[in-house]
Amino acid sequence: RNFKIKFFPNRLEAINAFNIKTIDGLGGLDYGDLKNIGINHEVLNIDRPRYYAIFFNQGVSPVLKEKDVRLALATAVDKQKIISSALNDSALIAAGPIPSTVAGHDAGVYANEAFSLEKAAEILEKAGWKIGEDGTRTKTVGKSKLKLEFDVIVPEAKFLIDSINLIWEDWQKIGVRLNPVVLRLSDVINNAIKPRNYQMLVFGNTLNNNPDVFSFWHSSQRFDPGLNLALFSDKTADSLLESLRQNLDENSRMQDLSKLQKIINDAKPAIFLFSPKYIYVTSKNLGGFSAQSIAFPANRFEKANEWYLKTARVFK
């Protein structure tokens, strides 16, 4: 069998190569790219241990230090609508720092989580946030008049922009104004993530098919080059994250992972959105592809020796 891997500068060139049959498959597509496929093909939706979330920077935005505000904002996000509308159902709901496809995810921690604009508005009302003449909620704290208005950094990707637009619509209904700031990925990394210069940030984390989330949630990783984008800091969570890297007892690990998820869920340092599927497009006659879940895109080639394009009758 002969297999060659080709790299393209952008998805459009890769799609064009597929359409003229220069290549037999391509991956890493957004569902919106599928409309540009002009030949018979098969779409494979593969699970990946990753999630996208809206990370809060409470140090930059004093309003976000209020847990009631963070809780209300999370309650006012309709994840299923986002997945259906912005990702064409090619994603799973993300509830916390460990995706549902990774061992250690505890669905019970999130059993009471539910989208409700009415409940979100009620939380804000009880916390003293009143809707002003412009439709945005405000509250006076000391001598300062605070406003529920936030800038959110969004990487330049259609499914992320579409997702934020849906959230913008719902948050507007509860008196929260959201201002999306769309940037190229390089600008997001250099101008927002590295200096931690954002109120809110939409970004993704990818795990290596195991529940080690130390890099994303330990307090030592709050600043560049760390990956703790919510600048989350909790002593008990730190201890659990450290222990999980050394603990080899499976039952004990599962208990610690459940505790960790509960701590992060209670604190609401981020709004977990979705875990997108990895979209891989192949020619109709590709056989032998069996990957159901991959950690990284290159993993799809691990059993390439079992792939085939042609079949023939064999007389025994």
Side-chain angles (χ1 to χ4, degrees):
R1 295 176 177 86
N2 252 332
F3 292 96
K4 293 182 180 179
I5 299 175
K6 293 187 177 182
F7 296 94
F8 295 88
N10 55 63
R11 287 201 297 266
L12 185 58
E13 288 195 24
I15 291 170
N16 288 337
F18 182 77
N19 283 335
I20 62 175
K21 300 185 179 182
T22 301
I23 57 176
D24 296 302
L26 69 159
L29 301 178
D30 293 339
Y31 90 91
D33 294 322
L34 299 180
K35 65 180 181 295
N36 296 318
I37 305 292
I39 61 174
N40 285 336
H41 63 280
E42 183 176 359
V43 179
L44 304 173
N45 289 297
I46 307 169
D47 289 331
R48 283 194 64 192
R50 59 175 173 167
Y51 61 81
Y52 282 87
I54 301 175
F55 296 96
F56 298 142
N57 188 340
Q58 298 176 44
V60 170
S61 175
V63 174
L64 288 173
K65 289 182 178 179
E66 269 198 39
K67 183 178 177 180
D68 283 332
V69 170
R70 303 195 303 276
L71 174 60
L73 295 178
T75 304
V77 173
D78 190 343
K79 300 178 187 180
Q80 191 55 63
K81 180 173 73 172
I82 292 170
I83 289 172
S84 297
S85 301
L87 291 102
N88 197 35
D89 290 318
S90 295
L92 300 173
I93 287 177
I98 300 175
S100 59
T101 56
V102 175
H105 171 81
D106 187 351
V109 170
Y110 316 103
N112 296 322
E113 305 284 310
F115 164 71
S116 173
L117 292 178
E118 294 77 13
K119 183 178 178 182
E122 182 182 336
I123 293 169
L124 294 175
E125 198 69 29
K126 286 184 177 179
W129 293 94
K130 306 298 180 183
I131 294 183
E133 293 181 0
D134 63 351
T136 304
R137 292 183 184 270
T138 61
K139 182 167 78 169
T140 300
V141 178
K143 295 183 179 180
S144 301
K145 187 174 183 179
L146 303 179
K147 196 171 189 177
L148 289 185
E149 181 174 2
F150 308 100
D151 294 336
V152 57
I153 303 293
V154 187
E156 195 176 34
K158 187 178 185 303
F159 74 100
L160 294 179
I161 296 170
D162 290 346
S163 298
I164 282 298
N165 284 338
L166 290 169
I167 293 171
W168 175 86
E169 291 175 2
D170 280 338
W171 283 9
Q172 191 176 41
K173 295 172 186 175
I174 63 168
V176 177
R177 180 177 297 176
L178 190 62
N179 304 314
V181 179
V182 179
L183 300 175
R184 293 179 303 176
L185 181 59
S186 59
D187 291 331
V188 172
I189 293 171
N190 294 322
N191 301 332
I193 290 178
K194 286 186 176 181
R196 297 299 195 260
N197 181 27
Y198 50 86
Q199 293 181 319
M200 295 183 182
L201 168 72
V202 180
F203 211 70
N205 287 339
T206 300
L207 284 65
N208 191 19
N209 259 347
N210 66 63
D212 181 7
V213 292
F214 182 99
S215 300
F216 304 128
W217 296 100
H218 194 277
S219 63
S220 65
Q221 306 299 303
R222 286 176 296 162
F223 303 104
D224 187 66
L227 300 175
N228 184 346
L229 302 181
L231 285 78
F232 181 68
S233 180
D234 183 278
K235 289 182 179 179
T236 304
D238 281 352
S239 296
L240 289 168
L241 287 162
E242 292 159 13
S243 172
L244 283 163
R245 285 194 156 183
Q246 303 170 12
N247 189 355
L248 300 179
D249 182 83
E250 191 65 16
N251 289 333
S252 176
R253 279 174 55 81
M254 292 301 108
Q255 292 174 14
D256 285 351
L257 284 167
S258 180
K259 292 176 186 175
L260 176 65
Q261 290 170 83
K262 189 175 188 311
I263 289 170
I264 293 176
N265 187 54
D266 288 346
K268 292 289 185 293
I271 301 175
F272 298 91
L273 299 174
F274 45 73
S275 296
K277 302 273 189 175
Y278 182 80
I279 299 177
Y280 190 53
V281 174
T282 72
S283 58
K284 273 282 189 181
N285 57 341
L286 176 69
F289 189 97
S290 59
Q292 300 296 314
S293 177
I294 58 174
F296 299 99
N299 295 144
R300 69 186 186 274
F301 297 116
E302 287 177 352
K303 293 186 178 181
N305 61 305
E306 298 177 3
W307 298 2
Y308 58 87
L309 292 173
K310 296 179 180 179
T311 60
R313 292 174 184 256
V314 176
F315 294 97
K316 294 184 178 179

